């Protein structure tokens, strides 16, 4: 027995999101809502870090006791080079959005694809098995979601992109996992009806409107924009005008990928429904 008072050594576990720019990020709000819901004691910071300072900033966060980071645009591919251990899904995606600092090592994972799948199948009730899927864009965002989408065993998955060669190289990479083909926007095959069209281009972010293939849309088509905003994105507006049955922005994916990260860090999967509602977003 000792009469010494117990020292108040409770330090709050530190997490954050690193991006450039990052001020628009909703991740701090989402993770604070998850922490409140699960009564986990943590803090979550917004960290604006330019590409040339990425490695220094990650290592400094680790050195000063940080527990985990979300990594967002434009760092997801570069940060993959810094990890000591990569999950299979991060390796397939060639990109990392979740870092965990444990026992002096950096663990990298990617929760984007699984977050999208969860939003599509659980929140929105879509069945992807046997579906015809069209993805617009062939950049990092597309690469991150292709593995999980193909695991759901769609009948066809078509990647349409402005520059054909980028879509073709994704097809080469993923062709063993399913029926994947590449084309330009103006050559999207319309022999089958598309059940799902996903916008994974960054055109909307730049205020550009690519020549999306309107003839690929029918009333049966569910359109999903990986981008999101308080107002409809250019793609989601275009999809509605072009006659899509439903058109949804990627708020649900944002919350679901965050929930997967939270689960990796804290071992608790938050209930995402109330968080989507609290953010005044309809899923
Ligand atoms: P991300 O990580 O967000 O996917 P990225 O790797 O730079 O970013 O890829 C951006 C994607 O958006 C690419 O498919 C790009 O088409 P190209 O490969 O032809 O460059 C697409 N994109 C961006 N702006 C576009 C525009 N104005 N019209 C059509 N596609 C566009």
């Amino acid at each position: 027995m000792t009469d010494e008072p117990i020292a108040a050594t409770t330090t709050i576990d530190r997490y954050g999101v690193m991006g450039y720019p990052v001020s628009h990020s909703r991740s701090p709000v989402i993770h604070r809502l998850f922490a409140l819901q699960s009564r986990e004691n943590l803090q979550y910071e917004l960290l604006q870090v330019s590409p040339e300072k990425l490695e220094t900033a990650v290592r400094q966060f680790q050195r000063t006791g940080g527990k985990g980071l979300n990594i967002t645009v434009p760092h997801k591919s570069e940060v993959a080079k810094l990890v000591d251990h990569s999950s299979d899904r991060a390796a397939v995606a060639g990109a990392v959005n979740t870092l965990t600092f444990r026992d002096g090592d950096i663990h990298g994972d990617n929760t984007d694809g699984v977050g999208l799948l969860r939003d599509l199948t659980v929140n929105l009730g879509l069945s992807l098995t046997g579906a015809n899927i069209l993805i617009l864009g062939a950049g990092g965002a597309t690469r991150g979601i292709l593995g999980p989408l193909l695991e759901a065993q769609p009948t066809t998955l078509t990647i349409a992109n402005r520059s054909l060669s980028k879509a073709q190289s994704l097809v080469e990479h993923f062709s063993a996992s399913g029926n994947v083909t590449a084309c330009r926007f103006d050559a999207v095959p319309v022999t089958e009806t598309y059940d799902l069209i996903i916008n994974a281009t960054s055109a909307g972010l730049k205020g550009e409107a690519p020549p999306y293939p309107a003839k690929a849309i029918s009333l049966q088509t569910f359109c999903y924009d990986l981008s999101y905003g308080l107002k409809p994105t250019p793609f989601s507006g275009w999809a509605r005008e072009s006659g899509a049955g439903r058109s949804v922005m990627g708020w649900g994916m944002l919350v679901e990928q965050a929930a997967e990260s939270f689960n990796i860090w804290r071992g608790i999967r938050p209930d995402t429904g109330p968080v989507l509602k609290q953010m005044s977003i309809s899923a």
Side-chain angles (χ1 to χ4, degrees):
M1 285 284 283
T2 170
D3 292 336
E4 279 178 34
I6 297 165
T9 52
T10 35
T11 49
I12 296 182
D13 289 346
R14 283 170 53 227
Y15 297 89
V17 57
M18 233 172 233
Y20 190 75
V22 81
S23 56
H24 64 281
S25 171
R26 302 299 179 105
S27 292
V29 177
I30 294 170
H31 281 279
R32 275 174 213 142
L33 290 171
F34 288 164
L36 273 176
Q37 183 194 84
S38 58
R39 296 170 190 263
E40 289 286 291
N41 195 18
L42 57 89
Q43 72 179 50
Y44 191 101
E45 303 158 25
L46 203 54
L47 301 155
Q48 175 140 311
V49 173
S50 59
E52 65 277 11
K53 298 202 174 120
L54 177 67
E55 177 166 2
T56 312
V58 167
R59 299 210 185 278
Q60 191 189 352
F61 193 85
Q62 177 186 26
R63 208 172 38 247
T64 55
K67 299 286 184 191
L69 283 173
N70 282 132
I71 303 294
T72 190
V73 176
H75 302 317
K76 289 184 194 182
S77 303
E78 275 305 304
V79 89
K81 298 174 189 162
L82 303 180
V83 306
D84 302 299
H85 310 278
S86 180
S87 69
D88 288 347
R89 58 193 184 187
V92 169
V96 162
N97 80 333
T98 306
L99 298 180
T100 307
F101 303 107
R102 201 185 311 127
D103 302 329
D105 283 350
I106 306 180
H107 298 255
D109 205 338
N110 190 317
T111 65
D112 284 334
V114 70
L116 172 67
L117 259 286
R118 214 180 149 91
D119 193 35
L120 289 173
T121 59
V122 179
N123 298 342
L124 299 164
L126 293 193
S127 173
L128 302 181
T129 310
N132 292 311
I133 301 177
L134 172 64
I135 302 182
L136 308 175
T142 300
R143 195 180 165 108
I145 61 174
L146 274 177
L149 280 173
L150 287 167
E151 270 173 35
Q153 298 188 313
T155 299
T156 63
L157 196 154
T158 308
I159 304 169
N161 198 45
R162 181 173 57 184
S163 54
L164 183 61
S165 59
K166 266 169 91 175
Q168 283 170 331
S169 66
L170 282 182
V171 167
E172 272 164 38
H173 195 81
F174 285 93
S175 60
S177 311
N179 181 8
V180 202
T181 51
C183 59
R184 290 202 178 87
F185 288 135
D186 59 5
V188 168
V190 285
T191 40
E192 302 280 352
T193 307
Y194 290 101
D195 302 291
L196 174 65
I197 300 180
I198 297 172
N199 177 38
T201 72
S202 56
L205 300 175
K206 299 181 281 184
E208 295 167 359
Y212 297 125
K215 57 186 173 146
I217 289 195
S218 75
L219 199 56
Q220 191 186 311
T221 310
F222 193 111
C223 286
Y224 193 101
D225 196 346
L226 298 191
S227 303
Y228 48 85
L230 292 177
K231 291 194 210 137
T233 55
F235 172 80
S236 64
W238 167 85
R240 275 180 208 283
E241 284 163 21
S242 305
R246 285 182 78 189
S247 173
V248 164
M249 295 188 284
W251 287 108
M253 173 182 173
L254 177 74
V255 174
E256 294 298 342
Q257 63 78 29
E260 294 293 329
S261 297
F262 194 91
N263 193 16
I264 290 168
W265 294 331
R266 311 300 295 184
I268 298 167
R269 198 179 193 290
D271 183 5
T272 48
V275 173
L276 263 167
K277 282 209 186 86
Q278 279 177 60
M279 294 175 76
S280 307
I281 300 154
S282 63

